[in-house]
Amino acid sequence: MNEAFRAVQITDHVYWVGAIDWSIRDFHGYLTSRGSTYNAYLVLGEKNTLVDAVKAPLKEEMLSRIASVLAPEKIDYIISNHAEMDHSGALFEVADVVHPEKIYASSLGNKTLIEHFHTDREITMVKDGETCALGNLHFTFLESRMLHWPESMVTYLAEDRLLFSQDIFGMHLATGERFTDEIAEHILNSEAAKYYANIILPYSQVVLRFLDKVKDCNLEIEVIAPDHGPVWRKNPLHIISSYTKWAAQKPTKKAVIVYDTMWNSTALMADVLADGLMEGGAAVKQMPLGTSHRSDVATEILEAGALVVGSPTLNNNIFPTVADVMTYLKGLKPQNLCGAVFGSHGWSGEAIKQLEVLMKDMKVDLVADSIKAKYVPDQDVLKYCHAVGKQLAERLAAVADGDQDGIA
Amino acid sequence: MKKYTCTICGYVYDPAQGDPDNDVDPGTAFEDLPDEWLCPICGAGKDQFEVEA
């Protein structure tokens, strides 16, 4: 047996046996600037249970960590909380080594695992709210549909007061430390917010329902063990209250200006809009798309009140980088935003109308007529940019939540 | 009869097909689904559905 890696004890019965991915930067389009981890957990008792697995290529790292505390063939059960391949990729290959008595998943988890791996292996379906005694330990399964897949569920281990929360409450963050209390708070806050903005945001209504459901179950949660990033063993309420705040999507007085430029005309309009916003007392974040990643734009939008979008017209269309980000943002369904559209063009200027349609689809409340400049903005256009910036700031001051200034 | 889309997950309820997995016969209008009917994909309630444009 490979003895290269070690398990890390999390609680009395639970060991972390996942894998650390220091080098990943492109996680299906999400810029994982600090890498990630895929967390699997081994629960040791009269019977031994593995909760979730890792990406297929990292199977050996996981098996090696398991072997540091238990011969893998002594695992009796496997629980699959989430069928996405970063947690299930190695699941059946590990099952081939382990020969577990049972593999547990939700009913949709069963279906989704089969649709991925086309296996005829039997999966035991658990019901929402069901508690199973596996040996001397008690596991309660709670469906968490659409957080963030239809089949997702979480598992509560009563003896250790620990919630295996799969992707919920997680973050992409590769570290040598396994616990949040060992990591600088600003890093945790920014990576957790980025994860929420890019993965959980479209299901914010579901988050609120899920948090109520967990509350109604009266689970005493002392430790939250997600499938990515560090374990919350001190003050798990910190991340729960962050989720409550993010899910509410109350507008702040921050405006995010998202734009690209060809000959600096649209960029100049962005700068002047920003100046108007600042003069009006708003907080401003400019995201020029030549140097800003779509997943960082999403993070900025999470705690904003306005989305201001600018695009040159290129061959009768929205500039490709702007179209990319707007398609992405539309899918994330941010709520309660006001905004405006601007851009320069040479002879036709279709990008403005196309962006207006997108913004209306996204239910962004456009506070002013869109700003169009032919080739290079003249003084009248720039004056109007400044005025629209101030108008946006006034709107933000009126709608912003008093407790939040939008400056993360 | 109109199709309805779940605003949470995008599932489309098609009255022509019903929801046989949950004992809803083909030909059942969305309005005639029982109040406790849930989206078969994400578990959202009927109030989370919008008429398909």
Side-chain angles (χ1 to χ4, degrees), chain B residues 8-35:
Chain B
I8 305 291
C9 73
Y11 165 83
V12 178
Y13 177 78
D14 178 356
Q17 293 186 12
D19 177 16
D21 289 348
N22 295 293
D23 304 320
V24 175
D25 293 331
T28 306
F30 181 81
E31 294 77 8
D32 295 333
L33 290 168
D35 289 345

Side-chain angles (χ1 to χ4, degrees), chain A residues 267-286:
Chain A
L268 176 60
M269 296 165 83
D271 292 344
V272 177
L273 267 159
D275 207 70
L277 276 154
M278 287 185 269
E279 196 189 60
V284 180
K285 184 76 181 183
Q286 284 183 230

Side-chain angles (χ1 to χ4, degrees), chain A residues 4 59 63 94 101 115 124 148 155 179 317 321 375 388 403:
Chain A
K59 180 189 75 173
L63 279 173
V94 167
E101 219 172 282
E115 285 165 347
T124 304
H148 65 109
T155 300
F179 299 99
N317 272 289
T321 53
Y375 290 111
V388 171
D403 298 334

Side-chain angles (χ1 to χ4, degrees), chain A residues 24-36 148 170-173 188 190-200 228 293-296 298-299 328 332:
Chain A
I24 190 166
R25 290 294 179 272
D26 181 357
F27 195 108
H28 58 48
Y30 174 146
L31 176 67
T32 46
S33 312
R34 292 185 169 105
S36 193
H148 65 109
M171 67 187 81
H172 287 306
L173 177 61
L188 296 174
S190 82
E191 292 302 340
K194 185 169 189 178
Y195 194 87
Y196 188 98
N198 284 276
I199 306 289
I200 309 287
H228 294 291
H293 194 274
R294 70 172 83 81
S295 53
D296 290 320
T299 312
Y328 188 69
L332 293 173

Side-chain angles (χ1 to χ4, degrees), chain A residues 80-355:
Chain A
S80 170
N81 280 327
H82 182 24
E84 195 168 7
M85 283 191 282
D86 45 343
H87 313 295
S88 67
L91 193 83
F92 291 101
E93 286 182 52
V94 167
D96 287 342
V97 175
V98 166
H99 303 295
E101 219 172 282
K102 281 182 179 175
I103 299 175
Y104 293 102
S106 68
S107 57
L108 282 176
N110 170 48
K111 202 167 162 253
T112 311
L113 285 169
I114 292 168
E115 285 165 347
H116 274 80
F117 299 98
H118 311 291
T119 173
D120 50 10
R121 195 185 275 276
E122 195 188 332
I123 296 163
T124 304
M125 290 183 271
V126 293
K127 290 200 178 74
D128 187 24
E130 180 179 345
T131 298
C132 276
L134 303 181
N136 56 329
L137 302 175
H138 296 81
F139 295 82
T140 300
F141 307 105
L142 285 180
E143 286 188 353
S144 54
R145 289 192 181 199
M146 296 321 286
L147 297 177
H148 65 109
W149 273 18
E151 41 59 71
S152 305
M153 69 172 190
V154 300
T155 300
Y156 177 70
L157 173 61
E159 282 73 12
D160 290 14
R161 296 178 179 174
L162 180 148
L163 185 73
F164 297 107
S165 64
Q166 43 96 16
D167 282 347
I168 308 168
F169 308 130
M171 67 187 81
H172 287 306
L173 177 61
T175 49
E177 297 79 18
R178 297 276 67 79
F179 299 99
T180 54
D181 50 278
E182 300 169 321
I183 298 165
E185 199 168 309
H186 74 277
I187 294 176
L188 296 174
N189 288 342
S190 82
E191 292 302 340
K194 185 169 189 178
Y195 194 87
Y196 188 98
N198 284 276
I199 306 289
I200 309 287
L201 183 63
Y203 310 112
S204 287
Q205 281 184 60
V206 186
V207 167
L208 296 173
R209 280 210 313 262
F210 171 75
L211 293 176
D212 283 345
K213 175 174 163 172
V214 172
K215 208 181 272 174
D216 290 345
C217 291
N218 291 315
L219 305 177
E220 283 182 72
I221 298 170
E222 285 179 3
V223 180
I224 293 177
D227 274 358
H228 294 291
V231 171
W232 302 86
R233 73 175 163 186
K234 286 186 185 162
N235 193 16
L237 267 182
H238 177 81
I239 187 67
I240 293 174
S241 57
S242 295
Y243 266 52
T244 309
K245 179 183 74 175
W246 292 327
Q249 293 192 65
K250 287 188 183 155
T252 69
K253 62 175 189 177
K254 177 171 111 178
V256 182
I257 307 179
V258 181
Y259 61 99
D260 212 335
T261 198
M262 292 168 70
W263 293 103
N264 221 36
S265 290
T266 306
L268 176 60
M269 296 165 83
D271 292 344
V272 177
L273 267 159
D275 207 70
L277 276 154
M278 287 185 269
E279 196 189 60
V284 180
K285 184 76 181 183
Q286 284 183 230
M287 300 296 278
L289 295 179
T291 51
S292 306
H293 194 274
R294 70 172 83 81
S295 53
D296 290 320
V297 175
T299 312
E300 290 297 337
I301 290 292
L302 176 63
E303 293 182 88
L307 169 62
V308 190
V309 182
S311 175
T313 294
L314 174 64
N315 299 329
N316 313 104
N317 272 289
I318 301 173
F319 197 71
T321 53
V322 182
D324 172 318
V325 167
M326 289 302 285
T327 303
Y328 188 69
L329 288 181
K330 188 181 165 195
L332 293 173
K333 297 185 191 165
Q335 305 289 314
N336 307 324
L337 294 171
C338 63
V341 170
F342 65 98
S344 84
H345 65 282
W347 49 95
S348 54
E350 288 89 341
I352 296 289
K353 275 242 147 30
Q354 293 165 9
L355 281 174

Side-chain angles (χ1 to χ4, degrees), chain A residues 342-382:
Chain A
F342 65 98
S344 84
H345 65 282
W347 49 95
S348 54
E350 288 89 341
I352 296 289
K353 275 242 147 30
Q354 293 165 9
L355 281 174
E356 285 172 352
V357 169
L358 269 167
M359 293 283 261
K360 278 172 191 159
D361 278 356
M362 291 170 66
K363 301 189 173 70
V364 177
D365 185 11
L366 298 175
V367 304
D369 289 341
S370 299
I371 315 166
K372 290 174 92 165
K374 201 154 190 222
Y375 290 111
V376 175
D378 62 17
Q379 282 306 311
D380 286 344
V381 170
L382 293 177

